[in-house]
Amino acid sequence: MARKIVVINGHPDPSGTRFAAALADAYVRGASEAGHMIRRIDVGALDFPMIHSKQDFEDTPPPAVIASAQTAIAWADHVVMIFPLWLGGAPAQLKAFLEQVFRYGFALRKDGGGLGGLLKGRSARMIVTMGMPAPVFRWVFDAAGLRALERGILWISGVSPIRHSILGDVEGKPARREAWLRAVGRLGAAAA
């Protein structure tokens, strides 16, 4: 059964030459070849302001590029987010993008009705790349930067299940990078 998937390349470099962009390409290619419907967002290519206050978050309408991203996420039943780990978490531009997109009225209820997020019925896959070995990120750092996004943004918005792939030592052997690209292409084909 064909799924509607939005792929978010969260690398802030707009050139498209980073490994995160190659992973997004591989996922999109695998999903497209399997007949899934795809929309893609390259965060590094977007121009939007940061949120500076509670009033900005709650009352200021989102800019057009953010409204377009919200439309893509609302359309999708599966969200894929690919990003490099920077200083233990998501790059600042990706975090600013998520703050703009996952607002009250779109992702979160504002009526005081508890944690019932507005994006129920969607699943997600987070693919995070890093220079350190993946086990070090998992066991020494408790994957805190990844968990913050999974729980503090996606889960609270109603997205479930949320799966992740942690790719460590990405500056290592080219053969390993090629294997990851093939594996991510298979994830795309499976819409996983």
Side-chain angles (χ1 to χ4, degrees), residues 108-133:
L108 305 170
R109 294 173 56 175
K110 190 175 180 179
D111 60 10
L115 292 176
L118 300 176
L119 296 178
K120 288 183 179 173
R122 287 162 189 80
S123 58
R125 161 116 9 221
M126 310 284 282
I127 301 173
V128 60
T129 65
M130 63 198 66
M132 76 174 85

Side-chain angles (χ1 to χ4, degrees), residues 6-82:
V6 62
V7 176
I8 301 169
N9 169 14
H11 200 293
D13 184 347
S15 71
T17 60
R18 302 298 181 176
F19 190 51
L23 290 167
D25 292 343
Y27 192 99
V28 167
R29 188 170 38 260
S32 295
E33 289 172 0
H36 302 294
M37 296 169 280
I38 306 294
R39 293 187 184 173
R40 179 171 170 163
I41 301 167
D42 290 286
V43 173
L46 303 179
D47 184 22
F48 56 89
M50 291 184 65
I51 291 177
H52 293 282
S53 69
K54 181 180 179 195
Q55 183 178 358
D56 281 353
F57 184 74
E58 292 180 353
D59 300 327
T60 304
V65 295
I66 297 299
S68 178
Q70 288 175 328
T71 299
I73 292 168
W75 164 85
D77 52 43
H78 186 60
V79 177
V80 177
M81 194 178 314
I82 303 167

Side-chain angles (χ1 to χ4, degrees), residues 87-105:
L87 297 175
Q93 189 171 357
L94 175 58
K95 185 70 168 60
F97 169 80
L98 296 172
E99 288 171 0
Q100 281 279 13
V101 170
F102 286 80
R103 295 168 173 249
Y104 289 120

